[in-house]
Amino acid sequence: MRYPLKYGLFMAAYYITNSVYQGFITLYYKSAGMNEAQRGILIAAVSLVSVFAQPFWGGVGDRARSRARVIRLLCLGACVMVGLFFSAGSSFGLLLAFTCVFAAFYTSIQPMGDSVILESLQERDQSFGPIRWCGCVSFALSSMLFGRVVDGGGRENLILFTAAGLLILTLFSTFALPQTGGAQNSGEKRSMRELFRQKDLMMLIGLTMPLQLTMGYFYGFFSTHFVSLPGGNEALLGWCYLISALSETPFLLLSDKLFKKFGAGKLMTVSAVLLTARWTLLASTTSVPIAMLSQILHGGGFIVITVTMAKYISKTVAPELRSSGQMLLALTGFGIARVAGNFLGGLAAQTMGEQSVFWLCAAVTLAALIGFGPYYLKHAPFNGEKPAETTEE
């Protein structure tokens, strides 16, 4: 069966958009006069709103006639709200309000897209890695190029203009996806609460959350920390994101084989080791070259966590709940965990300084490694090839 490389159009468009928004929005907030604590709250607000928005959109996706049409609605809503950021000016209250509504749309685009693509690939018995690699490459190149565009300051408004335009591009890219509905569109109605009875899934989410908590702090504060280093600037920041995105390539090319052999638990245990090393490097140096070099470790962290968990859900969750399952992953790993990372990290950064908080991040990932590592190392791979264990009601 022919490989559906066209799905990569959506993945590329979304991750180009995310490279601009996620990588540079804190620079816009800083230019608007927001201090460390306010920036932490604004970034945390995105994650907090996702806690409530993602279960809603997951249910909508599971019941929709076309989940791609739902994604188009999400892109349009997010685009409108980015445009309203301009009218907030330096008002923290308005900026917070617009950010919250933006998050209600934006944070569900990626997990909904993953659910559509993974379901189609699973039916074809085809690999997810090459499709996700399209996002990796687009994120890498866009980060590097956009870093050069905003280098030197004074061009932060371009972040909003570009993000809005790219959201429209993402909207059109959804026409390359299967225009399929959720499994509950014409079938049995099932509740998202069923997912909480899958013991193995809950254990994996329990490991995901502390790792993603530290990633939340990184995404919220690395950009402003890096440009404050002696010799750091926006252009080099773009190169940092290029390095981190390209470092994902080896895992993506081998992800199916690694997932089948080792499973989600063992792979994320390795992620905890690499993230601990990464945060320790960032906490202990003011050298721009070393900070840039630490980005290589990104390839064993974020991408391993997100891809292995998405694959595990697609293989173990009932078809009627797959959109909800991806949303639960986003809700816990990208919502609740990142609220803590953004908000508490912002408060800690104001007290300790942005760099010192990376020591706390290293402590969190080390604790996760100690707490979960022995359990997964002694068990068979969590790769969906055995029935998911459930808990009794």
mmCIF file of all heavy atoms in Angstrom, residues 148-186:
data_model
loop_
_atom_site.group_PDB
_atom_site.id
_atom_site.type_symbol
_atom_site.label_atom_id
_atom_site.label_comp_id
_atom_site.label_asym_id
_atom_site.label_seq_id
_atom_site.Cartn_x
_atom_site.Cartn_y
_atom_site.Cartn_z
ATOM 1 N N ARG A 148 16.709 34.459 12.887
ATOM 2 C CA ARG A 148 17.444 35.505 12.166
ATOM 3 C C ARG A 148 16.546 36.706 11.881
ATOM 4 O O ARG A 148 17.000 37.857 11.907
ATOM 5 C CB ARG A 148 18.002 34.946 10.855
ATOM 6 C CG ARG A 148 19.070 33.881 11.065
ATOM 7 C CD ARG A 148 19.553 33.312 9.736
ATOM 8 N NE ARG A 148 20.257 34.334 8.952
ATOM 9 C CZ ARG A 148 21.534 34.588 9.041
ATOM 10 N NH1 ARG A 148 22.282 33.914 9.896
ATOM 11 N NH2 ARG A 148 22.097 35.497 8.278
ATOM 12 N N VAL A 149 15.266 36.456 11.621
ATOM 13 C CA VAL A 149 14.333 37.543 11.309
ATOM 14 C C VAL A 149 14.160 38.479 12.495
ATOM 15 O O VAL A 149 14.146 39.705 12.347
ATOM 16 C CB VAL A 149 12.964 36.965 10.876
ATOM 17 C CG1 VAL A 149 11.914 38.069 10.804
ATOM 18 C CG2 VAL A 149 13.087 36.272 9.517
ATOM 19 N N VAL A 150 14.011 37.918 13.706
ATOM 20 C CA VAL A 150 13.740 38.761 14.881
ATOM 21 C C VAL A 150 15.004 39.130 15.637
ATOM 22 O O VAL A 150 14.943 39.776 16.685
ATOM 23 C CB VAL A 150 12.742 38.066 15.844
ATOM 24 C CG1 VAL A 150 11.409 37.854 15.174
ATOM 25 C CG2 VAL A 150 13.300 36.737 16.365
ATOM 26 N N ASP A 151 16.170 38.742 15.133
ATOM 27 C CA ASP A 151 17.426 39.031 15.806
ATOM 28 C C ASP A 151 17.624 40.537 15.986
ATOM 29 O O ASP A 151 17.359 41.318 15.073
ATOM 30 C CB ASP A 151 18.599 38.462 14.997
ATOM 31 C CG ASP A 151 19.933 38.633 15.721
ATOM 32 O OD1 ASP A 151 19.926 38.612 16.955
ATOM 33 O OD2 ASP A 151 20.952 38.787 15.033
ATOM 34 N N GLY A 152 18.075 40.915 17.179
ATOM 35 C CA GLY A 152 18.354 42.317 17.447
ATOM 36 C C GLY A 152 17.234 43.050 18.163
ATOM 37 O O GLY A 152 17.416 44.168 18.634
ATOM 38 N N GLY A 153 16.072 42.429 18.276
ATOM 39 C CA GLY A 153 14.967 43.068 18.983
ATOM 40 C C GLY A 153 14.253 44.096 18.132
ATOM 41 O O GLY A 153 14.702 44.493 17.049
ATOM 42 N N GLY A 154 13.098 44.549 18.625
ATOM 43 C CA GLY A 154 12.325 45.557 17.923
ATOM 44 C C GLY A 154 11.398 44.998 16.857
ATOM 45 O O GLY A 154 10.656 45.747 16.227
ATOM 46 N N ARG A 155 11.439 43.674 16.650
ATOM 47 C CA ARG A 155 10.584 43.061 15.623
ATOM 48 C C ARG A 155 9.638 42.032 16.233
ATOM 49 O O ARG A 155 9.158 41.136 15.529
ATOM 50 C CB ARG A 155 11.452 42.385 14.556
ATOM 51 C CG ARG A 155 12.465 43.306 13.886
ATOM 52 C CD ARG A 155 13.182 42.570 12.757
ATOM 53 N NE ARG A 155 14.247 43.389 12.199
ATOM 54 C CZ ARG A 155 15.521 43.328 12.563
ATOM 55 N NH1 ARG A 155 15.879 42.474 13.516
ATOM 56 N NH2 ARG A 155 16.433 44.100 12.017
ATOM 57 N N GLU A 156 9.366 42.153 17.513
ATOM 58 C CA GLU A 156 8.569 41.134 18.202
ATOM 59 C C GLU A 156 7.141 41.029 17.669
ATOM 60 O O GLU A 156 6.518 39.971 17.776
ATOM 61 C CB GLU A 156 8.545 41.406 19.706
ATOM 62 C CG GLU A 156 9.854 41.097 20.429
ATOM 63 C CD GLU A 156 10.889 42.205 20.292
ATOM 64 O OE1 GLU A 156 10.529 43.275 19.732
ATOM 65 O OE2 GLU A 156 12.033 42.013 20.737
ATOM 66 N N ASN A 157 6.592 42.113 17.096
ATOM 67 C CA ASN A 157 5.243 42.028 16.535
ATOM 68 C C ASN A 157 5.168 41.026 15.395
ATOM 69 O O ASN A 157 4.095 40.469 15.105
ATOM 70 C CB ASN A 157 4.768 43.396 16.047
ATOM 71 C CG ASN A 157 4.337 44.298 17.193
ATOM 72 O OD1 ASN A 157 4.156 43.830 18.320
ATOM 73 N ND2 ASN A 157 4.169 45.575 16.919
ATOM 74 N N LEU A 158 6.303 40.783 14.731
ATOM 75 C CA LEU A 158 6.330 39.799 13.652
ATOM 76 C C LEU A 158 5.980 38.405 14.154
ATOM 77 O O LEU A 158 5.510 37.562 13.384
ATOM 78 C CB LEU A 158 7.710 39.775 12.995
ATOM 79 C CG LEU A 158 8.035 40.901 12.014
ATOM 80 C CD1 LEU A 158 9.481 40.804 11.568
ATOM 81 C CD2 LEU A 158 7.099 40.847 10.813
ATOM 82 N N ILE A 159 6.234 38.153 15.435
ATOM 83 C CA ILE A 159 5.900 36.845 16.004
ATOM 84 C C ILE A 159 4.405 36.595 15.884
ATOM 85 O O ILE A 159 3.965 35.496 15.491
ATOM 86 C CB ILE A 159 6.356 36.776 17.481
ATOM 87 C CG1 ILE A 159 7.882 36.914 17.570
ATOM 88 C CG2 ILE A 159 5.895 35.469 18.137
ATOM 89 C CD1 ILE A 159 8.399 37.125 18.983
ATOM 90 N N LEU A 160 3.603 37.606 16.178
ATOM 91 C CA LEU A 160 2.150 37.452 16.106
ATOM 92 C C LEU A 160 1.662 37.378 14.664
ATOM 93 O O LEU A 160 0.821 36.533 14.324
ATOM 94 C CB LEU A 160 1.464 38.600 16.837
ATOM 95 C CG LEU A 160 1.814 38.792 18.320
ATOM 96 C CD1 LEU A 160 0.938 39.871 18.926
ATOM 97 C CD2 LEU A 160 1.656 37.486 19.082
ATOM 98 N N PHE A 161 2.152 38.274 13.807
ATOM 99 C CA PHE A 161 1.750 38.248 12.397
ATOM 100 C C PHE A 161 2.059 36.887 11.773
ATOM 101 O O PHE A 161 1.229 36.304 11.062
ATOM 102 C CB PHE A 161 2.486 39.343 11.609
ATOM 103 C CG PHE A 161 1.919 40.717 11.795
ATOM 104 C CD1 PHE A 161 2.696 41.724 12.352
ATOM 105 C CD2 PHE A 161 0.619 41.012 11.413
ATOM 106 C CE1 PHE A 161 2.185 42.998 12.529
ATOM 107 C CE2 PHE A 161 0.096 42.287 11.572
ATOM 108 C CZ PHE A 161 0.881 43.290 12.136
ATOM 109 N N THR A 162 3.263 36.401 12.039
ATOM 110 C CA THR A 162 3.689 35.141 11.433
ATOM 111 C C THR A 162 2.889 33.963 11.977
ATOM 112 O O THR A 162 2.463 33.081 11.216
ATOM 113 C CB THR A 162 5.191 34.915 11.697
ATOM 114 O OG1 THR A 162 5.922 36.053 11.236
ATOM 115 C CG2 THR A 162 5.680 33.676 10.972
ATOM 116 N N ALA A 163 2.651 33.934 13.287
ATOM 117 C CA ALA A 163 1.879 32.838 13.882
ATOM 118 C C ALA A 163 0.465 32.793 13.316
ATOM 119 O O ALA A 163 -0.062 31.714 13.007
ATOM 120 C CB ALA A 163 1.840 32.986 15.398
ATOM 121 N N ALA A 164 -0.156 33.972 13.152
ATOM 122 C CA ALA A 164 -1.519 34.012 12.603
ATOM 123 C C ALA A 164 -1.541 33.480 11.173
ATOM 124 O O ALA A 164 -2.417 32.684 10.797
ATOM 125 C CB ALA A 164 -2.052 35.443 12.650
ATOM 126 N N GLY A 165 -0.592 33.916 10.365
ATOM 127 C CA GLY A 165 -0.544 33.434 8.990
ATOM 128 C C GLY A 165 -0.295 31.939 8.897
ATOM 129 O O GLY A 165 -0.895 31.240 8.060
ATOM 130 N N LEU A 166 0.565 31.434 9.761
ATOM 131 C CA LEU A 166 0.882 30.006 9.741
ATOM 132 C C LEU A 166 -0.286 29.148 10.230
ATOM 133 O O LEU A 166 -0.433 27.999 9.813
ATOM 134 C CB LEU A 166 2.134 29.739 10.581
ATOM 135 C CG LEU A 166 3.435 30.274 9.984
ATOM 136 C CD1 LEU A 166 4.571 30.151 10.995
ATOM 137 C CD2 LEU A 166 3.788 29.524 8.702
ATOM 138 N N LEU A 167 -1.116 29.693 11.096
ATOM 139 C CA LEU A 167 -2.309 28.965 11.523
ATOM 140 C C LEU A 167 -3.278 28.776 10.359
ATOM 141 O O LEU A 167 -3.935 27.739 10.244
ATOM 142 C CB LEU A 167 -3.000 29.695 12.684
ATOM 143 C CG LEU A 167 -2.358 29.460 14.057
ATOM 144 C CD1 LEU A 167 -2.804 30.518 15.047
ATOM 145 C CD2 LEU A 167 -2.694 28.059 14.570
ATOM 146 N N ILE A 168 -3.361 29.761 9.487
ATOM 147 C CA ILE A 168 -4.186 29.614 8.285
ATOM 148 C C ILE A 168 -3.586 28.545 7.370
ATOM 149 O O ILE A 168 -4.309 27.726 6.778
ATOM 150 C CB ILE A 168 -4.304 30.960 7.538
ATOM 151 C CG1 ILE A 168 -5.053 31.979 8.412
ATOM 152 C CG2 ILE A 168 -5.019 30.777 6.203
ATOM 153 C CD1 ILE A 168 -6.469 31.564 8.785
ATOM 154 N N LEU A 169 -2.261 28.534 7.247
ATOM 155 C CA LEU A 169 -1.589 27.493 6.467
ATOM 156 C C LEU A 169 -1.890 26.114 7.050
ATOM 157 O O LEU A 169 -2.160 25.152 6.303
ATOM 158 C CB LEU A 169 -0.076 27.745 6.459
ATOM 159 C CG LEU A 169 0.789 26.713 5.728
ATOM 160 C CD1 LEU A 169 0.479 26.722 4.239
ATOM 161 C CD2 LEU A 169 2.270 27.003 5.952
ATOM 162 N N THR A 170 -1.867 25.988 8.374
ATOM 163 C CA THR A 170 -2.183 24.717 9.023
ATOM 164 C C THR A 170 -3.620 24.308 8.730
ATOM 165 O O THR A 170 -3.918 23.131 8.505
ATOM 166 C CB THR A 170 -1.954 24.818 10.545
ATOM 167 O OG1 THR A 170 -0.627 25.283 10.792
ATOM 168 C CG2 THR A 170 -2.148 23.472 11.222
ATOM 169 N N LEU A 171 -4.519 25.286 8.737
ATOM 170 C CA LEU A 171 -5.930 25.015 8.416
ATOM 171 C C LEU A 171 -6.047 24.350 7.045
ATOM 172 O O LEU A 171 -6.702 23.317 6.886
ATOM 173 C CB LEU A 171 -6.719 26.320 8.463
ATOM 174 C CG LEU A 171 -8.238 26.263 8.251
ATOM 175 C CD1 LEU A 171 -8.893 27.462 8.933
ATOM 176 C CD2 LEU A 171 -8.620 26.254 6.777
ATOM 177 N N PHE A 172 -5.401 24.932 6.032
ATOM 178 C CA PHE A 172 -5.498 24.377 4.681
ATOM 179 C C PHE A 172 -4.807 23.019 4.569
ATOM 180 O O PHE A 172 -5.224 22.171 3.766
ATOM 181 C CB PHE A 172 -4.919 25.362 3.661
ATOM 182 C CG PHE A 172 -5.828 26.512 3.356
ATOM 183 C CD1 PHE A 172 -5.511 27.796 3.775
ATOM 184 C CD2 PHE A 172 -7.021 26.316 2.670
ATOM 185 C CE1 PHE A 172 -6.354 28.865 3.503
ATOM 186 C CE2 PHE A 172 -7.878 27.377 2.387
ATOM 187 C CZ PHE A 172 -7.547 28.665 2.803
ATOM 188 N N SER A 173 -3.788 22.800 5.380
ATOM 189 C CA SER A 173 -3.068 21.525 5.303
ATOM 190 C C SER A 173 -3.927 20.353 5.757
ATOM 191 O O SER A 173 -3.630 19.203 5.433
ATOM 192 C CB SER A 173 -1.794 21.588 6.148
ATOM 193 O OG SER A 173 -2.091 21.535 7.542
ATOM 194 N N THR A 174 -5.002 20.607 6.519
ATOM 195 C CA THR A 174 -5.842 19.513 7.004
ATOM 196 C C THR A 174 -6.593 18.812 5.878
ATOM 197 O O THR A 174 -7.096 17.698 6.066
ATOM 198 C CB THR A 174 -6.871 20.011 8.039
ATOM 199 O OG1 THR A 174 -7.755 20.955 7.420
ATOM 200 C CG2 THR A 174 -6.169 20.649 9.229
ATOM 201 N N PHE A 175 -6.672 19.439 4.703
ATOM 202 C CA PHE A 175 -7.341 18.790 3.584
ATOM 203 C C PHE A 175 -6.522 17.612 3.051
ATOM 204 O O PHE A 175 -7.031 16.798 2.274
ATOM 205 C CB PHE A 175 -7.622 19.800 2.468
ATOM 206 C CG PHE A 175 -8.700 20.783 2.820
ATOM 207 C CD1 PHE A 175 -8.379 22.060 3.265
ATOM 208 C CD2 PHE A 175 -10.040 20.424 2.744
ATOM 209 C CE1 PHE A 175 -9.376 22.971 3.603
ATOM 210 C CE2 PHE A 175 -11.049 21.324 3.091
ATOM 211 C CZ PHE A 175 -10.716 22.609 3.525
ATOM 212 N N ALA A 176 -5.252 17.513 3.473
ATOM 213 C CA ALA A 176 -4.423 16.367 3.100
ATOM 214 C C ALA A 176 -4.638 15.183 4.034
ATOM 215 O O ALA A 176 -4.166 14.078 3.757
ATOM 216 C CB ALA A 176 -2.942 16.767 3.106
ATOM 217 N N LEU A 177 -5.341 15.391 5.143
ATOM 218 C CA LEU A 177 -5.582 14.329 6.116
ATOM 219 C C LEU A 177 -6.811 13.509 5.728
ATOM 220 O O LEU A 177 -7.671 13.981 4.975
ATOM 221 C CB LEU A 177 -5.803 14.924 7.504
ATOM 222 C CG LEU A 177 -4.651 15.695 8.134
ATOM 223 C CD1 LEU A 177 -5.077 16.264 9.484
ATOM 224 C CD2 LEU A 177 -3.419 14.812 8.299
ATOM 225 N N PRO A 178 -6.937 12.298 6.261
ATOM 226 C CA PRO A 178 -8.181 11.543 6.053
ATOM 227 C C PRO A 178 -9.355 12.311 6.658
ATOM 228 O O PRO A 178 -9.265 12.783 7.794
ATOM 229 C CB PRO A 178 -7.939 10.234 6.812
ATOM 230 C CG PRO A 178 -6.472 10.150 7.007
ATOM 231 C CD PRO A 178 -5.960 11.555 7.074
ATOM 232 N N GLN A 179 -10.409 12.459 5.902
ATOM 233 C CA GLN A 179 -11.574 13.206 6.393
ATOM 234 C C GLN A 179 -12.518 12.250 7.123
ATOM 235 O O GLN A 179 -13.712 12.138 6.817
ATOM 236 C CB GLN A 179 -12.274 13.905 5.221
ATOM 237 C CG GLN A 179 -11.357 14.780 4.378
ATOM 238 C CD GLN A 179 -10.737 15.927 5.165
ATOM 239 O OE1 GLN A 179 -11.434 16.764 5.742
ATOM 240 N NE2 GLN A 179 -9.401 15.986 5.192
ATOM 241 N N THR A 180 -11.954 11.547 8.100
ATOM 242 C CA THR A 180 -12.692 10.498 8.794
ATOM 243 C C THR A 180 -13.297 11.019 10.094
ATOM 244 O O THR A 180 -12.782 11.947 10.717
ATOM 245 C CB THR A 180 -11.770 9.316 9.122
ATOM 246 O OG1 THR A 180 -10.604 9.808 9.815
ATOM 247 C CG2 THR A 180 -11.329 8.627 7.850
ATOM 248 N N GLY A 181 -14.371 10.365 10.509
ATOM 249 C CA GLY A 181 -15.019 10.731 11.753
ATOM 250 C C GLY A 181 -14.503 9.919 12.916
ATOM 251 O O GLY A 181 -13.733 8.965 12.749
ATOM 252 N N GLY A 182 -14.931 10.301 14.107
ATOM 253 C CA GLY A 182 -14.585 9.530 15.291
ATOM 254 C C GLY A 182 -15.378 8.237 15.331
ATOM 255 O O GLY A 182 -16.429 8.107 14.700
ATOM 256 N N ALA A 183 -14.874 7.259 16.077
ATOM 257 C CA ALA A 183 -15.506 5.939 16.116
ATOM 258 C C ALA A 183 -16.868 5.968 16.795
ATOM 259 O O ALA A 183 -17.671 5.053 16.612
ATOM 260 C CB ALA A 183 -14.596 4.943 16.825
ATOM 261 N N GLN A 184 -17.159 7.014 17.567
ATOM 262 C CA GLN A 184 -18.462 7.120 18.213
ATOM 263 C C GLN A 184 -19.474 7.859 17.352
ATOM 264 O O GLN A 184 -20.612 8.075 17.772
ATOM 265 C CB GLN A 184 -18.337 7.835 19.560
ATOM 266 C CG GLN A 184 -17.518 7.071 20.588
ATOM 267 C CD GLN A 184 -17.584 7.720 21.964
ATOM 268 O OE1 GLN A 184 -18.656 8.104 22.433
ATOM 269 N NE2 GLN A 184 -16.441 7.861 22.614
ATOM 270 N N ASN A 185 -19.049 8.250 16.138
ATOM 271 C CA ASN A 185 -19.955 8.992 15.262
ATOM 272 C C ASN A 185 -21.236 8.220 14.982
ATOM 273 O O ASN A 185 -22.325 8.779 14.955
ATOM 274 C CB ASN A 185 -19.227 9.300 13.943
ATOM 275 C CG ASN A 185 -20.107 10.006 12.942
ATOM 276 O OD1 ASN A 185 -20.880 10.885 13.297
ATOM 277 N ND2 ASN A 185 -19.998 9.593 11.687
ATOM 278 N N SER A 186 -21.079 6.921 14.777
ATOM 279 C CA SER A 186 -22.273 6.113 14.503
ATOM 280 C C SER A 186 -22.273 4.826 15.325
ATOM 281 O O SER A 186 -22.976 3.883 14.997
ATOM 282 C CB SER A 186 -22.330 5.767 13.007
ATOM 283 O OG SER A 186 -21.156 5.095 12.604
#
